Amino acid sequence: MDTKAVYVHVPFCEQICHYCDFNKFFLKNQPVDEYLSLCDQEIKNTVKVHPNHAISSIYVGGGTPTSLTTLQLSKLLSSIKENFYTDRNVEWTVEVNPGSVDQEKLEMMREYGVNRLSIGAQTFHEDLLKKIGRDHQREDVFHTIELARKVGFHNLSIDIMFGLPKQTEEQFEETLNILTRLPIEHISAYSLKVEERTVFYQLWNKGKLSLPGEDIEAKMYELLREKMKNNNFNQYEISNFAKNGYESSHNLTYWKNEPYFGIGAGAHSYVAQVRRINHGPLPKYMEAVKETGFPYREEHPVSRKEQMEEEMFMGLRKLAGVRHQDFQEKYHLNIEQAFPGVIQDLIDRGLIQDNGVVIKLTESGLLLGNEVFERFLLNE
């Protein structure tokens, strides 16, 4: 299968959010220009080994890509554009931190072909923004959207979070009311997960992190789904909603279990049925690229068994579900043969539905997705 997607990681931030466990570093005093040069080298070497792939999706994430100067970000985008062959309808996304981008930077991105922005709003309450360690204010989100529209972006996505420390249902509803009035095409909404190596994890271990309970979080999720439906945002994945035609093709790459290139410190890739993880620490990433041309810390050939597992627990995240015919054509095995007894058990528990053509999560299954996904982990 051709690799049609590219993820490029920019690990620099001007502020470290309390919930973030992605590979990131404070921007100040970092070797940014050297890092970008080595990313360029990794890109060139990747294309040499895997030539002639027509890329239909590019995602530049972080970290905070827009924490780079206009010149630095231009250097990165230039490397991507010059080395990867992209098809005419490529979706090219850059993550944007509200307040960290001006008109000049947006115009530069448009010139290189960037046509989609993912804006990290998280919440529209100033007190909650401070609690989670964000360095922007709600007005910065509105200003960023206004600038993006002015420059000519017609595909804008907003990230929000729920289940934040001491967040109430009323606060979340207000955020949703503001969100649905904005001129945007896509919304990603994630519940807070307390991950290791974060400020919140340290606070949680000390008993100093007050979070809404599971019942309140479930009510927030139900409210989210209701508000999205009533405002013409179609839910196409557990946490993602889009106006018609604006579903994220890059995210769908992951949920369809399709291959993708991963560039940069800590990036993951999945090419030719091998998953690779790049070194995360900057010194190790840079040293590896200099010495071998590639920064791989770990390489794992994905077995047929693992591919089938991933096909199910990634595919069931999509509201479209998993088609029996697609699974059969990929693995020359039907789903019931691959996972004997699992489908009927989940149907009996009311967590999935199967009409003989496609398997999908039920309403209850959407709330208990992890329980469903775990059932598709095959025993050796």
Side-chain angles (χ1 to χ4, degrees):
M1 184 182 296
D2 279 353
T3 305
K4 298 180 180 179
V6 179
Y7 174 81
V8 182
H9 192 67
V10 179
F12 307 111
C13 293
E14 294 175 283
Q15 171 78 13
I16 304 296
C17 301
H18 298 342
Y19 55 84
C20 180
D21 73 330
F22 294 126
N23 194 47
K24 76 280 181 187
F25 311 97
F26 278 115
L27 178 65
K28 190 175 181 180
N29 298 324
Q30 296 291 352
V32 177
D33 291 315
E34 184 180 8
Y35 174 79
L36 295 174
S37 294
L38 291 168
C39 280
D40 177 66
Q41 187 176 334
E42 185 190 357
I43 289 171
K44 285 181 167 66
N45 293 339
T46 298
V47 173
K48 283 180 184 177
V49 175
H50 304 283
N52 305 322
H53 290 263
I55 302 300
S56 59
S57 168
I58 302 168
Y59 195 103
V60 182
T64 310
T66 50
S67 68
L68 303 180
T69 67
T70 301
L71 184 61
Q72 289 169 335
L73 185 55
S74 170
K75 179 179 179 180
L76 179 62
L77 301 184
S78 175
S79 174
I80 296 169
K81 185 171 184 177
E82 290 175 6
N83 290 287
F84 286 109
Y85 169 70
T86 58
D87 67 29
R88 189 165 55 90
N89 297 315
V90 63
E91 174 196 270
W92 190 341
T93 305
V94 173
E95 286 184 355
V96 173
N97 192 45
S100 70
V101 65
D102 57 17
Q103 185 169 332
E104 178 190 23
K105 196 173 289 186
L106 288 169
E107 288 174 345
M108 177 275 295
M109 287 193 280
R110 286 288 294 145
E111 287 173 8
Y112 277 105
V114 176
N115 51 26
R116 183 175 184 272
L117 301 180
S118 177
I119 303 168
Q122 314 312 352
T123 177
F124 291 105
H125 286 86
E126 303 288 356
D127 60 329
L128 289 176
L129 288 170
K130 290 177 182 177
K131 283 178 184 176
I132 65 178
R134 298 292 291 177
D135 62 353
H136 74 269
Q137 298 178 327
R138 58 186 276 169
E139 293 298 325
D140 293 327
V141 180
F142 308 144
H143 181 61
T144 298
I145 292 172
E146 183 182 357
L147 273 181
R149 288 297 193 201
K150 179 180 179 181
V151 167
F153 283 96
H154 303 294
N155 191 351
L156 301 180
S157 178
I158 295 285
D159 282 4
I160 60 167
M161 299 177 72
F162 59 96
L164 300 175
K166 296 185 178 180
Q167 185 182 31
T168 65
E169 293 176 62
E170 291 74 23
Q171 285 177 318
F172 186 55
E173 182 170 15
E174 185 179 343
T175 280
L176 292 176
N177 289 338
I178 294 171
L179 191 64
T180 53
R181 293 197 295 266
L182 294 174
I184 57 175
E185 287 69 38
H186 188 279
I187 293 167
S188 295
Y190 299 97
S191 63
L192 173 67
K193 302 299 181 200
V194 179
E195 306 284 1
E196 293 186 23
R197 298 178 297 130
T198 65
V199 172
F200 276 167
Y201 184 76
Q202 295 171 20
L203 292 173
W204 181 74
N205 266 341
K206 296 175 182 177
K208 296 182 178 180
L209 189 65
S210 177
L211 299 175
E214 289 184 3
D215 289 346
I216 293 177
E217 192 172 297
K219 289 179 180 178
M220 289 180 176
Y221 183 65
E222 291 170 358
L223 179 63
L224 165 71
R225 296 187 65 220
E226 178 186 353
K227 289 282 186 182
M228 295 300 101
K229 182 178 180 180
N230 292 340
N231 287 277
N232 299 316
F233 284 92
N234 302 316
Q235 184 174 16
Y236 67 101
E237 191 267 346
I238 288 177
S239 301
N240 284 266
F241 308 81
K243 297 284 180 67
N244 283 333
Y246 288 95
E247 297 82 2
S248 168
S249 64
H250 190 84
N251 288 344
L252 284 167
T253 296
Y254 303 139
W255 301 321
K256 291 178 179 178
N257 203 28
E258 295 174 347
Y260 55 93
F261 297 115
I263 304 294
H268 293 222
S269 60
Y270 180 38
V271 181
Q273 298 178 354
V274 177
R275 292 198 183 276
R276 297 178 174 87
I277 302 175
N278 289 0
H279 285 289
L282 286 182
K284 289 191 174 182
Y285 170 84
M286 295 192 294
E287 181 182 356
V289 176
K290 289 175 186 176
E291 289 186 356
T292 69
F294 293 98
Y296 304 144
R297 172 176 68 83
E298 182 181 318
E299 296 186 74
H300 173 68
V302 181
S303 68
R304 182 168 176 270
K305 166 182 166 294
E306 290 172 307
Q307 290 174 47
M308 290 191 296
E309 292 173 347
E310 292 169 359
E311 190 80 19
M312 295 305 296
F313 65 68
M314 295 298 288
L316 283 172
R317 292 191 62 91
K318 300 182 281 99
L319 265 71
V322 178
R323 286 169 48 86
H324 283 277
Q325 183 178 345
D326 292 342
F327 191 95
Q328 177 79 40
E329 289 176 354
K330 267 189 176 183
Y331 304 107
H332 308 291
L333 197 69
N334 67 49
I335 296 174
E336 185 57 48
Q337 289 172 323
F339 304 94
V342 172
I343 302 301
Q344 190 58 52
D345 175 62
L346 291 171
I347 291 173
D348 292 344
R349 293 167 60 190
L351 298 178
I352 65 170
Q353 54 187 319
D354 182 3
N355 63 5
V357 176
V358 63
I359 298 174
K360 302 178 182 180
L361 294 177
T362 61
E363 294 289 314
S364 297
L366 283 169
L367 293 170
L368 299 170
N370 287 338
E371 289 188 25
V372 176
F373 306 149
E374 286 171 5
R375 292 289 284 113
F376 289 99
L377 294 175
L378 294 168
N379 295 322
E380 294 290 350

